[in-house]
Amino acid sequence: MSVKDENRGDGRDDAQQRDGQPLGSAPSAAAGDEHLLAEAEKIAIALGRMFPGLCEVVLHDLRNPVHAIRVIENNLSGRQVGDSATELGLARIKDPNYPSVIQNYANQFPDGRPAKSTSIGIKNEAGEYVAALCLNLDVSTLSPVTLALANLVTTDPEFREVELETLRDRTRRELREVIETAAAERSSTPRALPKDAKKDLVHRLYTDGYFDTRNAAQTIADLLGISRASVYAYTK
């Protein structure tokens, strides 16, 4: 056998063993799903950095709904990587026929700022939702600018009356309800409560174990309009 023939044979062997797979073999389904997520990460990061301070971009890994958030760029909602899926994500997991794109629907950030959102479901080759790319535009800073921006802040009537999701970790809802109920009992809103009432409320939340909720101190601070340092001071 000539050297040329030997080299040709070695090249075929290398190709057959490339990436640990025989030549012509298909990647596993799990590897294909992971590739989709990795490519979607690039899009999420690029979009978020294109609109700093204005549009939050979140990539959800629907294969793990309890810790779905894989990427969050330009964070406006206070959620973190590893937080749970929203209602839209859970709906897509349950129903592969759920709409793949829900665009320009009215939404709200946890602190009350209005948002305009779009959610894009991503399916694998088997037709299963494995990810969702979500954009949440803070329209509170845009709506007063000029009439020329009216189309940008307008939401689609089709979804206007439907509460599709809330932009916060689902484990914080009970905490928010307790705070709002306590304020309502005083015929007030959480931020309008006097300092003594806020102090008493924070101490009660601490005593009742609500600080075991993830990011509880920041959530309480946002709802009451005080600093995290004050929240911790009020627990004593």
Side-chain angles (χ1 to χ4, degrees), residues 1 27 30 36 39 45 49 52 57-58 67 73 77 95 111 117 124 144 156 163 176 189 200 208 211 231:
M1 181 185 298
L36 282 176
E39 292 300 301
I45 292 171
R49 293 180 181 178
V57 183
V58 187
H67 302 290
E73 274 293 318
S77 63
D95 182 8
D111 60 4
S117 297
N124 60 15
D156 284 351
E163 184 176 351
R176 184 186 186 99
T189 63
D200 291 342
D208 291 346
F211 275 69
V231 170

Side-chain angles (χ1 to χ4, degrees), residues 9 28 46 51 59 64 69 90 96 121 137 141 157 169 198 211-212 232:
S28 67
F51 303 103
L59 177 63
N64 185 9
I69 295 183
L90 297 177
L137 182 70
T141 59
D169 185 24
K198 290 180 179 179
F211 275 69
D212 294 337
Y232 286 116

Side-chain angles (χ1 to χ4, degrees), residues 52-127:
L54 187 62
C55 185
E56 175 185 81
V57 183
V58 187
L59 177 63
H60 297 268
D61 184 345
L62 299 184
R63 301 171 302 175
N64 185 9
V66 177
H67 302 290
I69 295 183
R70 177 158 168 161
V71 172
I72 183 164
E73 274 293 318
N74 198 23
N75 194 330
L76 298 176
S77 63
R79 293 173 293 173
Q80 303 295 328
V81 170
D83 280 354
S84 58
T86 65
E87 293 87 339
L88 279 181
L90 297 177
R92 286 193 171 111
I93 292 171
K94 292 179 180 178
D95 182 8
N97 294 319
Y98 198 85
S100 58
V101 177
I102 299 180
Q103 193 162 16
N104 298 336
Y105 58 91
N107 214 333
Q108 189 178 64
F109 290 108
D111 60 4
R113 285 173 296 159
K116 171 181 161 182
S117 297
T118 289
S119 177
I120 305 165
I122 300 172
K123 290 183 176 181
N124 60 15
E125 290 185 352

Side-chain angles (χ1 to χ4, degrees), residues 10-56:
D10 290 344
R12 287 197 298 268
D13 291 342
D14 290 343
Q16 289 174 343
Q17 296 302 322
R18 189 175 297 129
D19 300 325
Q21 292 181 346
L23 186 63
S25 65
S28 67
D33 292 351
E34 184 60 30
H35 177 74
L36 282 176
L37 268 293
E39 292 300 301
E41 278 190 25
K42 301 175 187 177
I43 299 172
I45 292 171
L47 285 174
R49 293 180 181 178
M50 188 173 180
F51 303 103
L54 187 62
C55 185
E56 175 185 81

